[in-house]
Amino acid sequence: MTTHFRLIFTTCANEAEARQLAQHLVKEKLVACVNILPTIESIYMWEGEVTQAIESKLLIKTKSEKMNEVIQTIKKLHSYEVPEIQVVDVATGNLAYFNWMDEVLN
């Protein structure tokens, strides 16, 4: 069983950018909640080079009908040329939490 909720992952260059993006998404009622993991280390290929960076990870909770607008907002506000945006379907969980999300996002 899949719910109508989605978990979206992205990374930001720093905590300040992560907070600004999270606050915008919540204020605009595009998402119910954003968790910020303030310091992660990322190692990846960029323009043919192995790159290492300290970033902040965002775990963004929303409903499926708001997902596309969340993705467009991330692309618009993000400092990266190619921001990470990955969407995971939420299969199941705490019904009380889902009810809270519905209340916040309606």
Side-chain angles (χ1 to χ4, degrees):
M1 176 187 113
T2 299
T3 69
H4 65 278
F5 298 101
R6 302 295 178 261
L7 179 60
I8 301 173
F9 294 95
T10 192
T11 50
C12 289
N14 54 55
E15 286 182 62
E17 180 181 23
R19 272 193 209 94
Q20 183 177 32
L21 179 57
Q23 289 174 353
H24 180 86
L25 291 169
V26 171
K27 183 179 177 184
E28 295 299 316
K29 293 189 179 244
L30 296 175
V31 307
C33 176
V34 180
N35 300 119
I36 300 172
L37 305 175
T39 306
I40 62 165
E41 183 175 0
S42 299
I43 299 172
Y44 54 94
M45 291 295 292
W46 183 250
E47 297 180 343
E49 300 283 328
V50 175
T51 303
Q52 184 172 344
I54 301 300
E55 299 177 298
S56 292
K57 175 71 94 182
L58 280 72
L59 288 71
I60 302 164
K61 292 98 174 230
T62 193
K63 295 168 79 169
S64 58
E65 59 263 25
K66 294 184 180 271
M67 180 185 64
N68 289 330
E69 192 173 354
V70 171
I71 291 169
Q72 291 309 312
T73 301
I74 293 169
K75 288 179 178 179
K76 178 180 152 191
L77 298 178
H78 211 287
S79 66
Y80 290 172
E81 183 180 335
V82 182
E84 170 199 6
I85 301 172
Q86 298 185 55
V87 179
V88 177
D89 292 342
V90 176
T92 190
N94 182 354
L95 184 58
Y97 186 81
F98 296 149
N99 289 338
W100 169 79
M101 285 182 66
D102 274 331
E103 183 180 314
V104 168
L105 294 173
N106 287 331

